[in-house]
Amino acid sequence: MILSEEQTLIRDTARAFAREKVAPHVRAWEAAGEIPRNVLAEMGQLGFLGMTVPEEWGGAGADMVSYVLALEEIAAADGGLSTVMSVNNSPNCAALLAYGSPEQKETWLKPLARG
């Protein structure tokens, strides 16, 4: 499969984040039984927590291939963190995007998509 420039950039960004900010700390996080909030906040800033949510609702506005590429890279470093990412993207953000009222999207979807 030939990736677009944007897909390649997203994959590479996720890979670098996973290698630099996740992989070196996984054992410590597992021992502590938690993922530090600053890691989730950075994932939100990178757009990983609302990948397919349109930008107007606080998301990255990426396609599904980009989402899967980023998810794979995070999962390669930490399966638990990739689970948090996937659950936040779908069902949380996906359900609100598909079925939420404008008020629910403003109140819940935007903050979830931003991390």
Side-chain angles (χ1 to χ4, degrees):
M1 176 162 88
I2 298 174
L3 301 177
S4 70
E5 220 175 289
E6 182 178 353
Q7 291 166 336
T8 301
L9 177 62
I10 289 170
R11 182 205 57 204
D12 293 349
T13 300
R15 182 177 290 166
F17 176 79
R19 286 181 178 171
E20 296 167 16
K21 306 280 177 105
V22 177
H25 308 287
V26 171
R27 288 191 179 166
W29 297 345
E30 288 177 358
E34 65 183 1
I35 298 166
R37 288 183 185 259
N38 66 313
V39 173
L40 296 171
E42 189 168 351
M43 289 179 72
Q45 291 170 353
L46 291 169
F48 296 152
L49 297 180
M51 291 214 52
T52 61
V53 174
E55 292 178 12
E56 71 181 285
W57 294 114
D63 64 0
M64 282 303 253
V65 171
S66 297
Y67 167 56
V68 171
L69 290 167
L71 190 59
E72 278 185 325
E73 295 298 333
I74 301 300
D78 184 3
L81 186 58
S82 71
T83 300
V84 171
M85 179 180 164
S86 69
V87 168
N88 197 71
N89 276 278
S90 178
N92 291 349
C93 288
L96 283 164
L97 184 61
Y99 304 109
S101 68
E103 295 80 18
Q104 290 170 323
K105 288 176 182 177
E106 190 67 41
T107 302
W108 299 104
L109 180 57
K110 277 187 176 181
L112 282 169
R114 291 181 186 142

